Amino acid sequence: MRATPQSTTADLDAAPRAWQGQLTARSLTGEDPALRAAYRLCQRTTRVHDPAIHALIQLMPAVLRPACWALWAAASILDDLADQQDAGQAEREARVQAWTQALQRDLAAGTSTDPVRHALVDTALRWHLDLSSLQVAMTSTRDDVRDRHFADWAAWRAWCEALVPWVDQVRHLFEQAGAPMTLRLDRQQDYKQFIDGAQLTDILTDLSADLTQGLLLLPQEALDAFPGAEDDLRQRRWSPAASALIGDLTALARQWVTRPAMTRSMHPGAANVLNTAACLMRAQLDAVDAAGPALLKRAPRPSVVARTRILAPARIRSHLAWSLTPLTMPGPRRPAVNASVPGPAAEDTALRPPPPHRDGAKPPQIAADRMPSHVAVIMDGNGRWAEQRGLPRFEGHRAGTAAAHEMVYGALEIGLRHLTLYAFSTENWKRDTEEVTTILEAMRRDLDEGPIRDLDVRQRWSGRPDKLPEDLVQALLREERRTRNRTGLTLTVCINYGGRDEITRAAAALAQAAQAGDVAPHLISEDDFARHLPHPDMPDVDLLWRTGNEQRTSNFLPWHATYAELHFTPDYWPDVDRRDLWQAITEYSRRQRRHGAAPLISPRRPPTAPSRPI
Ligand code: IPE
Ligand code: IPE
Ligand code: MG
């Protein structure tokens, strides 16, 4: 899709000496010459691949630049391997996998013969970066080779999310260097849109190169809104429909990258990098708009004057901002003995089956058309369980964690697709601080060390970030990213969740979309509303189960559970295990669901004559 730099030292020798000198970062003076050469190659790869990114990295403190070049070069190389036209799909997939597996080995060895990996390994060790989240992104690059069709914006956005772990590494670098790029948790939506906007800008810019390869990396939903535009673009015809589609998309991308609230209260140096990125992307989108039919021939670029107008003042701001925060580069490090980084292959094979039930109980056989797809559980009764035993309430929550694990094991064994657990409500803040603290602390520990980590479970979190401890939110987001490609069970844990809050947030997002002209208020449908919920892909709840002898839903999933079958059981939560989940599912499988239709009448049998004694 983009220019293909080769990761060889021969390239370095081909570079003019004066240019090489200019590229040498001051921060690398004194390093081993092979490592310096490796970082220089990374810088050059970044510059050739994406001059705008290169310019942005120059706005970072000098000590962080080499690490950013290494990360960017690695991402570019993987992108190229996934795109190489000289090879068939299987071969390209194998090349991406070979590169990531080699990286794993190199990380364990602490060095590499490949210059880009050499620089990346040095970066990871020096800055204590955990590259395991990148391994997930690398796996999606590999999968990316396979599937490039997006039915709608949701599918397209899921593809864009592969960028997030790379951005996170840069954040982590800032943090390690002592200039945290604090992201406001209430602005998560802004960050996601910013990344989507960056990706859309990139796709619009590279349209001609992608079309040459037969790629049109836009969601079908967007193409269908302009009948004929898709065919015209594929045939390289600059028709009114094609032009209207591009105009619509540049406007959308411009809106997505313009998120002024995103950088409020950030370090001025970090804010400068993000604000300048937004300006460069808007200039890029102006160039796309101005290109007209030429967009189908080559990638448009903003003029030197336009770029200089943005970059010159940004460099001055950067110099000022970073001069106030002196940062130092840590020395090189060797890997710990037996260090290993879970890679995609290692991670997949490391997935374990759930441990068996302690009495060897096995799940019942439920016919596929009688299985619920989504079971949601209100895990109630922890406090009373503890009080009944004369224990402090937190002991009940501790015991409740084991029961939650049991549910996950049971769900995997019976083949459930979606399990949603209510763990902490927006109303639970009314409890005393000690109880709240122990509940939240136990959750964080469970995310870090719990037995769910290695099961085939895609973990997600639903709830509000505010008021929750930052380390818990970070652990939740980390697990979400780490497990996003797993296919066994989707486990959504609701923490600081409120159903009314969820609906209010969806309404606010919809109002914003209407204000921006993305949806017509008088045409809003239930589907439009559902698309603006925090987890638009969460299916309706089929079975809602509450333990603890209470018969209410306590603000849990009001949108999704409107037609759920209800199941209430008397036991306190710590006393239940996977057999109770199976029992709930068995009972569900016997119910008749009607969704408003008339009851099904069983086929008429001939009336049997009353038996009469003769
Ligand atoms: C459910 O158990 C867990 C949370 C709400 C966090 P409870 O703590 O509500 O237990 P009871 O209802 O007081 O027994
Ligand atoms: C519901 O339980 C919330 C969770 C299980 C997390 P509560 O115990 O808080 O509900 P109420 O207050 O009894 O309705
Ligand atoms: Mg309760």
Side-chain angles (χ1 to χ4, degrees), residues 378-380 422-425 428 431 546 552 554:
I378 303 176
M379 312 184 286
D380 197 22
Y422 201 7
F424 191 87
S425 74
N428 287 145
R431 302 184 179 203
R546 179 172 190 148
R552 54 178 172 268
S554 302

Side-chain angles (χ1 to χ4, degrees), residues 207-326:
L207 196 63
S208 63
D210 288 350
L211 285 171
T212 309
Q213 293 186 29
L215 293 172
L216 190 51
L217 300 171
L218 295 168
Q220 202 58 45
E221 185 186 354
L223 297 170
D224 290 346
F226 295 86
E230 179 177 3
D231 277 350
D232 292 334
L233 286 179
R234 290 195 187 276
Q235 308 288 325
R236 311 281 181 127
R237 276 195 307 263
W238 188 250
S239 64
S243 156
L245 168 69
I246 300 299
D248 192 67
L249 293 174
T250 49
L252 193 61
R254 208 173 271 115
Q255 190 193 320
W256 284 349
V257 299
T258 308
R259 311 269 111 200
M262 190 173 77
T263 51
R264 260 176 230 145
S265 68
M266 219 178 242
H267 184 288
N272 182 41
V273 175
L274 287 181
N275 291 335
T276 309
C279 291
L280 285 173
M281 285 190 273
R282 283 193 293 267
Q284 183 59 52
L285 291 164
D286 291 344
V288 171
D289 278 337
L295 183 65
L296 302 179
K297 297 200 176 70
R298 71 193 81 84
R301 298 279 169 218
S303 67
V304 177
V305 176
R307 287 187 48 203
T308 312
R309 266 203 206 116
I310 296 168
L311 287 172
R315 282 192 197 114
I316 297 170
R317 282 196 300 272
S318 154
H319 185 74
L320 266 175
W322 296 120
S323 67
L324 302 172
T325 313

Side-chain angles (χ1 to χ4, degrees), residues 61-88:
V63 294
L64 293 183
R65 288 178 208 157
C68 291
W69 298 328
L71 284 164
W72 207 268
S76 313
I77 290 211
L78 282 163
D79 198 23
D80 289 338
L81 289 176
D83 275 327
Q84 276 171 352
Q85 288 306 295
D86 66 326

Side-chain angles (χ1 to χ4, degrees), residues 16-339:
R17 293 208 69 77
W19 194 42
Q20 282 188 34
Q22 182 203 332
L23 291 177
T24 310
R26 261 168 308 154
S27 49
L28 289 173
T29 316
E31 297 293 348
D32 150 40
L35 186 61
R36 280 213 316 263
Y39 275 117
R40 282 205 306 269
L41 175 67
C42 291
Q43 180 179 20
R44 186 169 160 227
T45 304
T46 309
R47 190 179 187 138
V48 170
H49 240 268
D50 199 334
I53 291 288
H54 183 262
L56 285 174
I57 294 177
Q58 295 303 103
L59 300 180
M60 295 195 178
V63 294
L64 293 183
R65 288 178 208 157
C68 291
W69 298 328
L71 284 164
W72 207 268
S76 313
I77 290 211
L78 282 163
D79 198 23
D80 289 338
L81 289 176
D83 275 327
Q84 276 171 352
Q85 288 306 295
D86 66 326
Q89 183 167 302
E91 171 62 21
R92 283 182 280 153
E93 239 174 272
R95 287 180 191 175
V96 171
Q97 192 155 0
W99 202 93
T100 53
Q101 280 173 352
L103 175 62
Q104 267 173 262
R105 285 192 299 274
D106 294 345
L107 280 163
T111 186
S112 175
T113 49
D114 174 275
V116 170
R117 289 201 297 270
H118 187 185
L120 188 59
V121 165
D122 177 74
T123 290
L125 292 171
R126 196 184 284 263
W127 291 99
H128 298 266
L129 298 187
D130 173 6
L131 295 189
S132 54
S133 64
L134 280 190
Q135 303 280 0
V136 174
M138 293 176 192
T139 315
S140 33
T141 308
R142 188 190 62 192
D143 296 343
D144 188 28
V145 177
R146 290 187 206 140
D147 188 7
R148 286 276 179 84
H149 181 264
F150 316 108
D152 51 23
W153 282 109
W156 183 88
R157 277 201 187 96
W159 176 65
C160 290
E161 271 178 24
L163 276 180
V164 174
W166 297 93
V167 176
D168 269 356
Q169 293 294 339
V170 175
R171 275 190 53 217
H172 192 64
L173 269 176
F174 273 95
E175 221 162 84
Q176 294 290 91
M181 194 181 214
T182 312
L183 296 189
R184 289 175 45 155
L185 295 169
D186 56 341
R187 290 279 160 214
Q188 293 288 339
Q189 202 50 33
D190 280 340
Y191 306 129
K192 280 192 188 143
Q193 283 216 311
F194 186 76
I195 289 177
D196 291 348
Q199 186 78 322
L200 187 53
T201 306
D202 200 31
I203 287 169
L204 292 169
T205 303
D206 289 316
L207 196 63
S208 63
D210 288 350
L211 285 171
T212 309
Q213 293 186 29
L215 293 172
L216 190 51
L217 300 171
L218 295 168
Q220 202 58 45
E221 185 186 354
L223 297 170
D224 290 346
F226 295 86
E230 179 177 3
D231 277 350
D232 292 334
L233 286 179
R234 290 195 187 276
Q235 308 288 325
R236 311 281 181 127
R237 276 195 307 263
W238 188 250
S239 64
S243 156
L245 168 69
I246 300 299
D248 192 67
L249 293 174
T250 49
L252 193 61
R254 208 173 271 115
Q255 190 193 320
W256 284 349
V257 299
T258 308
R259 311 269 111 200
M262 190 173 77
T263 51
R264 260 176 230 145
S265 68
M266 219 178 242
H267 184 288
N272 182 41
V273 175
L274 287 181
N275 291 335
T276 309
C279 291
L280 285 173
M281 285 190 273
R282 283 193 293 267
Q284 183 59 52
L285 291 164
D286 291 344
V288 171
D289 278 337
L295 183 65
L296 302 179
K297 297 200 176 70
R298 71 193 81 84
R301 298 279 169 218
S303 67
V304 177
V305 176
R307 287 187 48 203
T308 312
R309 266 203 206 116
I310 296 168
L311 287 172
R315 282 192 197 114
I316 297 170
R317 282 196 300 272
S318 154
H319 185 74
L320 266 175
W322 296 120
S323 67
L324 302 172
T325 313
L327 306 174
T328 48
M329 167 100 115
R333 279 176 65 240
R334 301 288 309 157
V337 184
N338 295 332

